[in-house]
Amino acid sequence: MKYAAYGLAGLLGLLGLVFIVGSQGQVGRLLIGGVLLLAAVVVVYLVRVQPQQTQVTTVQKIDLSGDVALEEIRCRSCNAPLSKDEITVEAGAIMVSCSHCGATYQFEEAPKF
Ligand SMILES: [Zn+2]
């Protein structure tokens, strides 16, 4: 599609040049040539400006504010260190599901001020 547009632009530009070169002083031909050249420029411009398809990816990040290192998070039931796989985000809440004791609860980060 893009190459077709460039081909079209090239054709329009060439036609425009032909009209201008072969105008022999005729204002009408000069005008047509100018319009064709302008059209070629517009086509190239449109193709270039066309926004590239951006892949929209929504990544649900586990955002732990403060300087809480993941290694320091421990299960509140059995005090076993929790790995990344054991922490999930459900509806905006950080859920902990301990694989050591099977406890599932919402993780509440203690504010550090
Ligand atoms: Zn546990």
Side-chain angles (χ1 to χ4, degrees):
M1 187 58 216
K2 208 169 183 179
Y3 294 107
Y6 277 126
L8 182 73
L11 205 72
L12 283 170
L14 205 71
L15 261 172
L17 278 176
V18 166
F19 265 95
I20 287 172
V21 169
S23 65
Q24 292 173 327
Q26 290 188 37
V27 181
R29 285 189 181 179
L30 271 173
L31 261 174
I32 292 170
V35 168
L36 284 170
L37 276 178
L38 200 73
V41 171
V42 167
V43 167
V44 171
Y45 177 76
L46 284 177
V47 170
R48 291 210 156 193
V49 163
Q50 232 171 28
Q52 296 195 330
Q53 282 201 332
T54 45
Q55 283 188 322
V56 180
T57 47
T58 42
V59 181
Q60 202 171 28
K61 282 195 294 186
I62 300 175
D63 186 28
L64 296 172
S65 55
D67 50 353
V68 179
L70 202 59
E71 293 77 34
E72 287 170 12
I73 300 171
R74 291 178 175 272
C75 175
R76 72 178 182 189
S77 297
C78 67
N79 207 34
L82 294 167
S83 70
K84 210 173 178 181
D85 299 328
E86 289 164 300
I87 300 167
T88 54
V89 176
E90 286 170 32
I94 301 168
M95 299 298 293
V96 171
S97 53
C98 179
S99 63
H100 296 273
C101 68
T104 356
Y105 56 89
Q106 186 177 338
F107 178 77
E108 280 165 38
E109 188 189 344
K112 287 183 175 178
F113 291 117

